[in-house]
Amino acid sequence: MTEEMAQARRLVAQAGRIVVLTGAGISAESGVPTFRGAGGLWKSHRPEELATPEAFARDPQTVWEWYSWRRGLIAECAPNHGHLALARLALGDTPTTIVTQNVDGLHTRAAHEAAGDTDPSPALPVEVHGAIDRDKCSLCAVRTPGATSVDTSSHASLPRCATCNGMLRPDVVWFGEALEPEILSRAFQVARDADLCLVVGTSALVQPAASVPLATLQSGGTLIEVNIELTPLSAEAEVSLLGPSGELLPELLDAGPAP
Ligand code: APR
């Protein structure tokens, strides 16, 4: 075991309350592509170009094509050892809240898998960017379960709201849109209350989520980062564990008493 891992395990063992912030990197080993870095582009589009209300107004077919492709891909994926280690942590004795920027639902599936016949709710994530498997009406905002495969063959075939006939869109937060105020304030509250923040697989570039760990730091807590590369948050972290989260999280969280 590396000295960094030993130190990180001591910090976890000593923590009274933990917040976890995850990003796309935690799902990379499940086969869900990240947004940035290697494999981060889809048909040479950047997420900042497609995941916007303007892109949807201009070209809903292309935006739906991207989301339909992602829904299909995610439906084939399963939680990995990183999701499961976090779910077991949150179901354990130290109060822990998982805050995720991911819309893929894999933390929720891990919570159910790890809980078995017991209550999964302590391990259910606060999803600050929404959920890709839900639709939201762009007119009346009603939310409904979304189809895994959307017919994007023409503008007329795109999904419509059963209540008001408005255009349905994925229930995710796009660039330029505000996050749900209650969800956001819950994320920052649990970050302030925590004395340890575990930041996993996020480039820490997209605000306001990237500031969640800073709330823990500002209230006197510490930060552990798990990522395959350094990020803008690394300088703030007490320990940076460099490597894939599917391997490092079980070693960090499951390996018995801290050294
Ligand atoms: N283990 C740990 N970290 C990994 C792994 C892995 N196996 N693979 C990749 N990473 C790291 C990358 O080094 C990078 O820092 O995951 C991070 C992924 O960064 P992004 O793709 O930018 O994802 P994220 O930070 O979640 O993006 C934030 O941007 O497009 C929006 O709304 C979208 O929620 C998303 C937000």
Side-chain angles (χ1 to χ4, degrees):
M1 180 181 305
T2 62
E3 178 46 38
E4 284 81 11
M5 179 59 80
Q7 192 190 348
R9 284 184 51 196
R10 282 192 293 273
L11 289 171
V12 171
Q14 288 158 7
R17 197 170 275 273
I18 301 175
V19 64
V20 182
L21 175 70
T22 67
I26 191 160
S27 297
E29 288 151 86
S30 292
V32 183
T34 58
F35 297 96
R36 298 170 189 81
L41 295 181
W42 176 77
K43 293 188 180 178
S44 74
H45 293 285
R46 295 166 61 234
E48 288 83 352
E49 289 161 7
L50 278 184
T52 69
E54 293 78 19
F56 189 66
R58 193 174 54 239
D59 185 1
Q61 263 174 278
T62 301
V63 174
W64 260 123
E65 207 190 323
W66 185 45
Y67 280 97
S68 185
W69 170 76
R70 287 173 59 197
R71 280 182 177 177
L73 193 148
I74 288 164
E76 299 295 313
C77 295
N80 64 51
H81 293 305
H83 296 107
L84 290 167
L86 288 177
R88 284 190 295 272
L89 171 73
L91 294 169
D93 293 336
T94 308
T96 298
T97 305
I98 300 169
V99 176
T100 189
Q101 299 166 85
N102 299 347
V103 297
D104 58 28
L106 292 178
H107 283 299
T108 301
R109 287 169 58 189
H112 287 277
E113 199 174 320
D117 293 334
T118 65
D119 177 17
S121 51
L124 294 177
V126 178
E127 294 175 313
V128 292
H129 288 168
I132 199 171
D133 63 356
R134 278 196 312 260
D135 290 343
K136 184 171 92 173
C137 177
S138 50
L139 286 184
C140 75
V142 73
R143 291 178 160 95
T144 42
T148 304
S149 173
V150 173
D151 180 356
T152 58
S153 55
S154 72
H155 194 281
S157 71
L158 298 178
R160 294 247 164 208
C161 175
T163 312
C164 76
N165 202 39
M167 184 93 85
L168 290 177
R169 52 167 281 182
D171 187 14
V172 300
V173 179
W174 283 334
F175 287 96
E177 293 183 322
L179 281 65
E180 290 283 329
E182 283 134 45
I183 294 179
L184 189 62
S185 75
R186 174 145 185 250
F188 276 92
Q189 189 59 53
V190 291
R192 277 192 295 274
D193 290 346
D195 49 16
L196 177 66
C197 179
L198 184 54
V199 189
V200 184
T202 176
S203 58
L205 292 172
V206 176
Q207 295 294 352
S211 294
V212 165
L214 303 182
T216 304
L217 281 180
Q218 277 155 13
S219 54
T222 49
L223 223 94
I224 298 174
E225 185 177 52
V226 177
N227 201 304
I228 53 171
E229 59 189 23
L230 296 175
T231 76
L233 276 179
S234 307
E236 312 290 338
E238 188 84 12
V239 188
S240 282
L241 298 174
L242 280 174
S245 49
E247 291 172 22
L248 292 180
L249 287 176
E251 192 181 349
L252 174 64
L253 302 172
D254 284 342

